[in-house]
Structure formats: C-alpha cells, structure tokens
Amino acid sequence: MSKHLDTVYLSSRLTLAVASGVLSFFAYPKPGLWPLIFISVAGLLISVRGATIARAALVGFAGGFAFYASQCWWLSQYLGPLPLVALSFIQALWVGLGLAIYTLARRHTKSIFGSAILFASLWMAREWASTHIPYGGYPWSRLAMSQSESPLAGWVYFGGFSLLGLVIALLTALAVEWIPSFWAKRLDGLTTRRSFAVPALVLLVAVLVPSLPPIATAKAQLDVAAIQGNANAGLFANTRRGEILENHLDATYELLRNEPSRKLDLIVWPENASDLSPIVDVQARQWLSNLVNVDAKAPLAFGTITSNGSDLFNSSFLWEPGVGITDQYDKKRPVPFAEYVPDREFWNQLAPDLIGLIYRDYAFGTRDAIYEVNGQKLGVLICFEVAIDEIFYELSDQGATAILSQTNNADFGRTDQAWQQLAIAKLRSIETGLALVNASTVGPSAIYDRGGQMLDSSGAFERDYLVAQIGLTDTKTPAMIYGRYLDYVNLALLGLALAWLLVRKLLERRNPRA
C-alpha cells in the first residue's frame, strides 16, 4: 500500500470516529434521539475494524474525545474550555485503550457472536473504568443514559446502567458483524428465511425483556411537593444576600395559596436552596420556622452550606414541625475540580488561574443518607450523586422506600446538562423501583412514581412547584440485589479471556505449526 493511500485510510478512520462521537450528542437529552446512540457506537466500532493496534488506539482516542466533548460541552459554560478539554482527554484515553485491546483480541476471535460479546464486554469495562478512575471517575455519558425514553430502559431494572449499556453495545456489535456477512451471502444467493431467525430473535428478546419489570405494590403513600425557586445559585452568581432563600420561600407560599386544602407530608427544596444557613443566620431560622411550623405544617427538606470546624459541607437538612432540624445529610461524593480540588498543589502549578476559581474545598460527608418521614425511610442524595451507582446501592441497603434528589443546575445555564440529569433520575427510578423526587433550583424538576412514571414536571428557568402522591415500597429490584456485582463479574471474565488469549499466543510462538 502506498504511503498516500495509507494516509487516506487513516484520515477516513479518524473522520468516521470523530463524526460518530459527535453524533452521540443528539442521542442524549435534550435532543433525545436515542436510536442514534446505536449508529454512534457502530461508527466507532467500524472505524477501528482491521486497523493496527496503534491506529485503533489513536482513532479510538479521537472518537472518544468527540464523544465526551460533544455531550458535556456544558462544562465550559462558566469555567471556559480547559475543564472540558481535560475531562474529554482523560475519557478519550480510556476509549482508545478499550478499542486497542478489542483490535488485538478480535484477531483471535472467529465467530460473529464471540467478536460482538468481546466488544460489548470491553465497552462495559471501559465505562466502569471511566466512572471510577481517577478521583472517583466521571459517571456521565454512559450508553444507558441515552435511553430514558427508549423501550430498552427497563433493562436497568434487571441489572442497572451497566446491563443496559452492555445490551446496547452488544446489539450494535452484532449488527456490525452480521450485516456484512448477510450481505455477502445474499449476493451469492445463499440467504434464506432462516437467515433472519437469529437476528429477529435477538431483537425480540431485547425489546420484550425490558417490558417485563413489575411495579411493586405501594405499602404507603406520601403527598410530596418539589419547589423550584428559579434562583440564580451558580458558582459566580452575584445575588443579594438571602435572595435564593427568598425565591424558594416565594414559590412555596405560592403553592400554599393555590392549594390551601392540600395536606402535604413533605416539601422538598433543591440543593443550595437556602443561601443563608439557619444554623448561623437568625433571619433564615425565623423564616423557615414560620414556614414549617405555622404555614405549611409539613416537614421540609432543603439544601444549604454548613461547616464543622475547618470542614465545609454541601448539606441537606430535614426540618420537622414543632421540632426543628431533626436530620442532616452531607454530600458524600463532592465533584472533583468543581466542589474540591484533589492534589491541589500539583494542579495549581499547571493551571493556577482555573484552580484559583475553586477557592473552597467541600469535605466528604459521612452521615447516613436516610430521612425518616411519617415512619418511612427516604433516601437522600445531592446533585451529581444521582449518576453514581454505589450511592443507590447504599440507599437500597439502608431500606429507602423513595428517593429525594436535590440538585442545583444553575451553573450550567440553558444547556442540556439539567435535561441529561433528569433522564438519569428517571432511569434511577426504574432501576430501584422507587419513587424519585428531583428538585432543581432552576429546573427542569420532576416527580417520578415507582418505575419511572412521571407524575409532575416543570420547565427550565421558571418559578414553579410540583405536587404528587407517590407510592412507597421497600421491595428490592434485581438491579439492587445482583446488579452491583455485574461489573466485577464482567471484569473477571474479561480478564480471564484476555489472559487465555495471551497464553495461547505465547504457546503458538513456542510451538509453531510445521
């Protein structure tokens, strides 16, 4: 092959990979054209077929960078392009590594199914690495997160986000492997009706299985309200002191005026809903006391910032009528390079202006994440924790019968970030089988009943309140019982398979056939 043709082939691979990565943007909310994720993944797979290991790594890196940068461009909303470039670079390294390993291992895989399973297993392992390494990983942009409105969404009930991602990667790889083989047989006149039997069966199973999850019977009901104050609670917001708290008070009182006869069991405010902590601010304490004890006469869960000595926490409180603050949750997984800077001294040498913007580090919370309301255990999480699998395993283990997801999306403006997060929240409701209340400072917000059924929702950047009666259950889904082990089983089996291929290759070199 001439050097010119070689360059053309490489350019074609890179172009396909980058285009496929960019295409993924349209599969995730807010565009939400979920079938495009299959085309995006297929393009990434095709771009490395037949490539050398080095080129697969390079092409995979380019495609991976486009994949993440196109979906998560909202990271640059306030902090500029550097965080987006840095994050996409790290995630692209994982994609490049995964596709390089696939290219190497596929040479020793003869069957269509073997090759497809290898690709799907490697993609699943790559997603696990991306969501855990480094600094706790980046738990966004998983394949499953594009499927909240897809008929495949029910797969998360059986095995969580990892299982749904595996299904998507497997279906895509099977199509990429099967279609060329089928087309070649058709040209040779070798196809029959039976040629469609296996693909049709695979598609039937893929679509029917996620329609099977049952909706657990509610053992109790809870009348809840979610308040969206439309407050400018962003990192660099220049608001008047107490303005964010007042916005949420105003929206809550609007609810009380419009529905005076409604007896609420719980009111949920978002993360950072009170810019004045009632622990230290007398005025905030008085306002909240009047709301909870006199006007609403209902418990209030709300977010604020707290401190304990030199430690600063992103916290949530439960304030109950006639009692006051009865419980507190401190965010257990603050976001690296947003809520704290790991290895600050090192990174400050590389980007002092950027690191200087993150002037305070939030500590890692250690309190349990359960609020007890009307004798029921409600799980609590804050913002990006909705994307972390382990948070939900812990809530399930602690007996949560519903989930409160308090979030502040103001930092990301009118981008797709909040819509992506809302899609994740819906999938978590399906995965856990629990009702989920997603309250945002600026929206969109939503209340989902058991199994992801939307009961009420709001738009973005408008003051609003949501009310609904949710069902409570302590029934655990297969995802909460067995799904937590799926990634580790996949990693173990993949490791054994790759080790076997390596051993076989070494044996072949020592004992070449005559």
Side-chain angles (χ1 to χ4, degrees), residues 4 158 221 313 432 469 481 493 512:
H4 173 70
F158 297 102
Q221 303 287 334
F313 295 96
T432 60
Q469 187 176 76
I481 301 172
L493 292 176

Side-chain angles (χ1 to χ4, degrees), residues 100-109 118 122 498 501:
I101 296 174
Y102 167 76
T103 300
L104 173 63
R106 188 181 182 278
R107 297 173 181 175
H108 306 282
T109 309
L118 173 66
L122 278 165
L498 294 177
L501 288 176

Side-chain angles (χ1 to χ4, degrees), residues 206-230:
V207 174
L208 284 182
V209 169
S211 68
L212 299 176
I215 303 297
T217 302
K219 69 174 188 177
Q221 303 287 334
L222 203 69
D223 235 16
V224 298
I227 303 300
Q228 180 175 301
N230 192 24

Side-chain angles (χ1 to χ4, degrees), residues 227-470:
I227 303 300
Q228 180 175 301
N230 192 24
N232 184 11
L235 182 63
F236 303 119
N238 186 24
T239 56
R240 172 176 48 81
R241 177 178 167 80
E243 182 178 340
I244 298 172
L245 171 58
E246 289 177 20
N247 278 32
H248 288 89
L249 284 169
D250 290 344
T252 307
Y253 279 110
E254 183 178 343
L255 161 65
L256 298 178
R257 287 193 301 271
N258 292 345
E259 302 198 35
S261 61
R262 186 151 197 159
K263 174 60 178 174
L264 293 170
D265 297 309
L266 177 66
I267 301 171
V268 183
W269 283 8
E271 171 193 22
N272 305 140
S274 179
D275 52 332
L276 304 179
S277 171
I279 299 296
V280 296
D281 190 276
V282 176
Q283 182 65 74
R285 186 161 58 249
Q286 185 61 53
W287 283 342
L288 291 172
S289 178
N290 289 340
L291 173 65
V292 174
N293 297 326
V294 180
D295 301 314
K297 297 179 181 178
L300 171 69
F302 65 97
T304 191
I305 304 302
T306 63
S307 61
N308 183 6
S310 61
D311 290 331
L312 201 64
F313 295 96
N314 188 350
S315 300
S316 171
F317 283 130
L318 178 66
W319 190 313
E320 296 191 74
V323 183
I325 294 175
T326 58
D327 211 342
Q328 176 179 345
Y329 169 67
D330 303 322
K331 190 173 184 179
K332 292 182 176 179
R333 296 285 293 273
V335 181
F337 302 102
E339 293 178 307
Y340 80 104
V341 180
D343 300 321
R344 178 180 283 270
E345 185 175 337
F346 171 78
W347 293 109
N348 192 59
Q349 295 177 17
L350 299 180
D353 292 339
L354 180 61
I355 297 302
L357 293 174
I358 310 168
Y359 59 91
R360 59 186 181 184
D361 287 336
Y362 288 108
F364 288 65
T366 57
R367 301 172 185 266
D368 74 76
I370 296 293
Y371 287 166
E372 289 201 17
V373 177
N374 289 358
Q376 299 295 326
K377 295 182 177 180
L378 307 181
V380 187
L381 59 91
I382 297 176
C383 202
F384 271 52
E385 290 183 326
V386 75
I388 300 173
D389 292 342
E390 289 78 8
I391 292 291
F392 287 85
Y393 300 148
E394 184 177 335
L395 293 178
S396 178
D397 291 343
Q398 292 175 348
T401 58
I403 307 291
L404 310 180
S405 178
Q406 299 169 283
T407 180
N408 174 16
N409 305 106
D411 269 324
F412 305 106
R414 297 181 181 274
T415 67
D416 294 334
Q417 185 274 339
W419 299 97
Q420 292 176 7
Q421 187 169 339
L422 200 63
I424 296 171
K426 178 179 178 178
L427 288 169
R428 291 301 187 188
S429 176
I430 299 172
E431 177 189 33
T432 60
L434 302 179
L436 189 148
V437 180
N438 189 91
S440 169
T441 48
V442 295
S445 302
I447 300 176
Y448 297 102
D449 206 358
R450 307 175 313 286
Q453 177 190 358
M454 183 180 284
L455 300 179
D456 201 358
S457 64
S458 68
F461 288 93
E462 59 185 31
R463 191 173 73 183
D464 205 352
Y465 61 84
L466 290 65
V467 288
Q469 187 176 76
I470 59 174

Side-chain angles (χ1 to χ4, degrees), residues 64-232:
F65 189 94
F67 186 88
Y68 279 90
S70 64
Q71 295 167 35
C72 304
W73 63 272
W74 37 264
L75 283 170
S76 63
Q77 184 72 6
Y78 287 106
L79 297 179
L82 185 57
L84 176 64
V85 171
L87 174 74
S88 301
F89 181 89
I90 293 171
Q91 300 307 314
L93 289 175
W94 286 117
V95 178
L97 176 62
L99 290 178
I101 296 174
Y102 167 76
T103 300
L104 173 63
R106 188 181 182 278
R107 297 173 181 175
H108 306 282
T109 309
K110 305 300 182 182
S111 70
I112 288 177
F113 283 100
S115 179
I117 290 171
L118 173 66
F119 175 79
S121 178
L122 278 165
W123 189 285
M124 182 178 172
R126 196 275 308 162
E127 281 197 345
W128 180 89
S130 296
T131 58
H132 288 82
I133 306 169
Y135 303 128
Y138 181 69
W140 221 262
S141 296
R142 297 165 73 179
L143 295 184
M145 294 175 180
S146 67
Q147 302 295 296
S148 64
E149 302 302 323
S150 158
L152 302 181
W155 277 103
V156 298
Y157 172 91
F158 297 102
F161 285 37
S162 295
L163 179 60
L164 178 50
L166 180 72
V167 169
I168 295 169
L170 181 59
L171 290 175
T172 303
L174 283 172
V176 170
E177 295 286 346
W178 176 78
I179 290 174
S181 175
F182 170 80
W183 189 255
K185 290 180 180 179
R186 183 179 181 183
L187 293 177
D188 293 337
L190 300 177
T191 57
T192 64
R193 290 183 178 179
R194 292 183 179 180
S195 303
F196 294 95
V198 173
L201 180 61
V202 170
L203 284 175
L204 186 64
V205 170
V207 174
L208 284 182
V209 169
S211 68
L212 299 176
I215 303 297
T217 302
K219 69 174 188 177
Q221 303 287 334
L222 203 69
D223 235 16
V224 298
I227 303 300
Q228 180 175 301
N230 192 24
N232 184 11

